[in-house]
Structure formats: structure tokens, C-alpha cells
Amino acid sequence: MVQLKDDERIDDLLAKEDRRIIQSPSAFAFSLDAVLLADFTYVPKTRGKILDLCTGNGVIPLFLSTRSSVPITGVEIQERLHDMAVRNVELNGLDDQLQMIHGDLKEMPAYYGNNKFDLVTCNPPYFPTPKSDEHNLNEYLAVARHEIHCTLEDVVSACSRLAKSGGKVSMVHRPDRLVEIIERFRAHKLEPKRMRLVYPKEGKEANILLIEGVRDGRPGLKILPPLYALQESGGYTDELKEILNGR
């Protein structure tokens, strides 16, 4: 029996009937960003291995485990979130497939050495906030959302060094940092290959960026059709419903 701590609760992992997840409103609860990244990313089905950086409570590995049987490792720097991720593996009986590491993503390339991954995913901090008084007052949310422990440069460098040649790196981020992301990708031998923008609704500016690069890949970027989250009436669009229901 998995023990809950503080204000934690157990939720269903959306429509995944065989997956549940421990969450906390004060420490970590997954958002639409994680759902969209898991849906967007390429996943090796039966061969290879996957690494998820900034894994939080392990939500991305949990989603990807429904689509793949390969080993999946999550890395999380915050001790409480790592503990939630470990218990989520236990809760779902996935000890044979999922592993959670308490560590800094910047140290992972040295930790793994020549042991490279077929896929590296990451939902990193979005905001390069230089002043501590501009951070979220909640310590857990501040680390998750602001570049306190890692910058975009750190994230892309680690992803590139951990992906094998021809391996894929998938990331969710903010559209206003697209140019910087592409510059960092190419500086670290990650060729942008697929990109999708997510909009709250038609007529609004995009607020989520999904991007995939290939280590040592050839040039050629495919821009996928836009994804709209809400209809004019306010309800979810049909495509977002499909994603949330686990298409």
C-alpha cells in the first residue's frame, strides 16, 4: 500500500484506466503541457530506452509507459517530487520498466557517459527570471517554472549529450523563446525536425510550443497544423478531447 504524505491525493491519469498518479496541489500536479508533450513525442515501442528530464512526479514516464515497453528513466532535482515519482512507479506496479533518479540534469551526461538514449523528453522551467523576488512564492513551483537550477542552455546541452546519434529530443516550452530554442538546438547538434504550436482558441496567440530535434539530423523542419484547446463556446476542441482520452 503506497503511503500518501501531507496534502497528496491519488488521481486517475486521465483516461488511462490502468494508470493512477499521486499529486499535490502545493508541490506538483501535472498540467496540460505534460499531456501534450506525451502525445506529441515519438516513442520507441519495443526497442531502445527513454530518459525524461525534469520529470516532476513522473507524469511523462507514466504516460509514455502506456505506449511503449522500453525502459524509461525519470530525473528530478527536487527531493519531494522525486519521492512522489518513486511512489508513483510503485503505485502502478511499473518497477520493471520505470526508474526514478534524484539528481541534477546537468550531471546526467557524466553519470551516463557513453550510455545514450533513443529518446530524451523534457518539460523544463520556462522563465529566465533573474531576480529572486520575481519567483513564485511556492518553492516547488518556483523551481519548476523558473530557471533557478538550470537554464535553457543547460537543458539543451544535457539533452543533446544524452541522446544517441539519430536519437530524438522532445520538449515543451513557451513560443516566445522559439528562436532561442532553435539556436540552442543547432549549437548542440540537435536539428529541429517537428514543431507544433498550441493556441488557447482561434484568434488568440499561441501559448505552448512543442518541438522535436534529432541528434546529428539533417536540416528539414516540419511544422504541424495548429492545435486549438478551446472552442468558441468554451468547451474543449474535438482534437484535445481525443488527446485527453488517450487517442
Side-chain angles (χ1 to χ4, degrees):
M1 182 68 178
V2 174
Q3 182 181 358
L4 297 181
K5 303 178 181 180
D6 301 322
D7 60 351
E8 293 175 351
R9 64 179 189 264
I10 295 179
D11 295 333
D12 291 333
L13 193 66
L14 298 182
K16 309 297 185 184
E17 295 181 357
D18 58 345
R19 295 288 186 277
R20 295 182 297 163
I21 187 166
I22 300 168
Q23 308 215 87
S24 161
S26 66
F28 190 94
F30 75 85
S31 65
L32 182 61
D33 298 21
V35 180
L36 295 176
L37 177 60
D39 175 76
F40 169 80
T41 192
Y42 152 86
V43 179
K45 303 289 187 183
T46 58
R47 299 179 62 184
K49 53 185 181 292
I50 300 170
L51 182 68
D52 180 52
L53 302 176
C54 305
T55 200
N57 62 353
V59 59
I60 296 292
L62 287 177
F63 274 124
L64 298 186
S65 71
T66 67
R67 298 169 53 198
S68 174
S69 61
V70 308
I72 306 174
T73 302
V75 177
E76 174 53 46
I77 195 170
Q78 298 195 70
E79 185 174 0
R80 182 180 174 191
L81 273 58
H82 168 260
D83 178 61
M84 292 170 67
V86 169
R87 285 181 287 130
N88 275 323
V89 173
E90 181 184 355
L91 175 67
N92 290 279
L94 293 170
D95 304 73
D96 291 341
Q97 183 184 10
L98 270 56
Q99 176 190 12
M100 297 297 159
I101 294 176
H102 179 216
D104 188 330
L105 64 82
K106 298 190 294 294
E107 299 172 356
M108 290 302 106
Y111 177 83
Y112 280 106
N114 292 323
N115 184 12
K116 307 296 185 181
F117 291 83
D118 299 81
L119 169 66
V120 181
T121 57
C122 189
N123 182 356
Y126 292 162
F127 304 109
T129 313
K131 299 178 181 178
S132 60
D133 61 1
E134 295 176 335
H135 296 166
N136 194 294
L137 295 179
N138 181 309
E139 178 185 357
Y140 300 110
L141 299 181
V143 171
R145 296 174 182 175
H146 301 268
E147 294 182 348
I148 296 171
H149 292 299
C150 63
T151 64
L152 179 61
E153 168 69 18
D154 294 330
V155 169
V156 176
S157 173
C159 287
S160 175
R161 293 167 67 192
L162 289 159
K164 72 178 187 181
S165 183
K168 293 179 169 61
V169 171
S170 291
M171 184 183 300
V172 58
H173 217 289
R174 299 275 296 183
D176 58 6
R177 301 191 71 183
L178 172 59
V179 173
E180 185 182 359
I181 290 168
I182 290 178
E183 288 176 345
R184 291 299 87 213
F185 266 41
R186 284 192 148 176
H188 291 282
K189 300 181 180 179
L190 289 174
E191 187 61 33
K193 298 297 289 184
R194 290 195 306 135
M195 187 186 91
R196 192 173 198 189
L197 290 171
V198 183
Y199 299 77
K201 62 172 60 176
E202 290 193 41
K204 298 291 185 180
E205 291 186 5
N207 62 350
I208 296 175
L209 166 70
L210 300 163
I211 189 166
E212 176 191 89
V214 172
R215 184 68 159 86
D216 303 318
R218 296 180 179 179
L221 174 63
K222 179 185 294 186
I223 299 178
L224 304 180
L227 170 60
Y228 298 103
L230 300 175
Q231 302 175 7
E232 286 301 317
S233 61
Y236 289 144
T237 59
D238 289 343
E239 184 175 10
L240 185 56
K241 288 179 184 176
E242 289 182 6
I243 293 172
L244 295 174
N245 288 327
R247 65 180 178 184

